[in-house]
Amino acid sequence: MSRTHHFQGVTMLLTDKTAIVYGAGGSIGGAVARAFAEQGARVHLVGRTRTTLEAVAADIKDAEVAVVDALDEAAVEAHAEQVGDIDISVNLVTRGDVQGAPLTEMPVEDFLRPVTDGLRANFLTARAAGRRMAARGSGVILALNSGSAHGSPMMGGTGPADGAIDTLVRNLAIELGPRGVRAVGLWVAGVPETFTVEKLSAVNPAIDESAIQGIVDQLAGMRMTRRNPTLAEVAATAVFLASDHAGGITGTFVNATGGMVSV
């Protein structure tokens, strides 16, 4: 039975659902957390930096904040146990991707970091939630990556990391589906509202302020829509996928790149 409710004529898609958002202090994580809360969810904001989490919590009534490293197995399990019933788990943790250099010039540590850290964080958080969801017979595990698994030059370990997470989501869906749990992902590539020199230079040291508008324009030109998706659109898609309205969607990634990724 659907748990969609109506409040003052507005459909609330996530009423009575409990959501954990890992990486909630980031731009996308914060937007998703706020959108979940606006749709009636009880939101647990998880990340490594309390100040950024509390900044998001200030916009959400009754949000819970927890400083947890998603790479720490014991910490992830302990937090999930503390939360108890989990309806939605979404992983938006940064992976330490390094881009802008050819593979033949890239240090092995930079190439492997997004693969090992990204897969570990997604596995640990999905496993913690999946165990509890399966025991209850319902739940949704959400993941997000750039959809680069099919080949993107000068992106270092991003493609292999995305490919690993794509496969993890599909295998979770196969294993947990009979127990009422969906696993689904979003492909999101380059949301301009998340761009700052600090964030982009952490991925590609050659980026500076003057380069950002050029990147935004280049990304728009690569999309079928010739426009960049907005942060609000990404968050709204995550809300839909987490809701009962998406009950038939599992084991796949929804392409929210504006057609930049085409498979």
Side-chain angles (χ1 to χ4, degrees):
M1 185 174 76
S2 173
R3 289 190 288 177
T4 299
H5 290 247
H6 297 268
F7 179 72
Q8 296 180 342
V10 178
T11 301
M12 306 288 283
L13 297 180
L14 303 179
T15 298
D16 296 332
K17 295 193 175 185
T18 297
I20 301 178
V21 180
Y22 297 95
S27 299
I28 296 178
V32 169
R34 293 182 185 97
F36 280 2
E38 288 169 1
Q39 292 297 322
R42 296 179 294 272
V43 182
H44 292 259
L45 309 174
V46 179
R48 291 180 292 186
T49 307
R50 180 169 293 277
T51 53
T52 56
L53 294 172
E54 289 181 343
V56 176
D59 298 330
I60 301 174
K61 184 179 179 180
D62 299 327
E64 297 286 340
V65 170
V67 177
V68 177
D69 184 350
L71 298 175
D72 185 330
E73 180 176 7
V76 169
E77 282 291 333
H79 176 259
E81 187 64 24
Q82 180 183 3
V83 172
D85 291 344
I86 304 167
D87 297 294
I88 304 160
S89 174
V90 52
N91 191 304
L92 299 166
V93 174
T94 57
R95 308 180 306 199
D97 296 58
V98 174
Q99 299 168 357
L103 293 174
T104 53
E105 303 299 325
M106 180 164 285
V108 65
E109 293 83 3
D110 287 346
F111 175 77
L112 290 177
R113 188 181 306 108
V115 180
T116 55
D117 286 3
L119 190 56
R120 180 181 178 89
N122 275 271
F123 173 73
L124 290 178
T125 58
R127 188 183 67 178
R131 286 171 170 169
R132 292 159 176 84
M133 292 173 178
R136 295 175 58 225
S138 66
V140 182
I141 297 168
L142 291 176
L144 179 146
N145 67 50
S146 70
S148 298
H150 299 278
S152 296
M154 303 292 285
M155 291 188 69
T158 296
D162 287 358
I165 293 169
D166 287 2
T167 302
L168 173 64
V169 165
R170 291 184 172 93
N171 288 347
L172 284 167
I174 293 169
E175 293 185 10
L176 295 175
R179 301 185 69 180
V181 180
R182 293 190 292 117
V184 65
L186 271 171
W187 284 336
V188 177
V191 180
E193 292 154 280
T194 70
F195 291 175
T196 65
V197 172
E198 180 183 15
K199 290 179 181 178
L200 293 181
S201 63
V203 176
N204 183 349
I207 298 298
D208 58 23
E209 188 72 46
S210 63
I212 290 182
Q213 187 58 51
I215 293 171
V216 170
D217 293 341
Q218 181 182 23
L219 287 172
M222 294 168 66
R223 306 183 198 273
M224 294 178 184
T225 58
R226 295 299 187 268
R227 56 173 288 273
N228 293 308
T230 67
L231 200 54
E233 289 170 339
V234 171
T237 305
V239 167
F240 169 72
L241 291 175
S243 77
D244 295 334
H245 285 297
I249 302 176
T250 194
T252 191
F253 274 68
V254 171
N255 188 343
T257 68
M260 180 184 292
V261 176
S262 179
V263 294

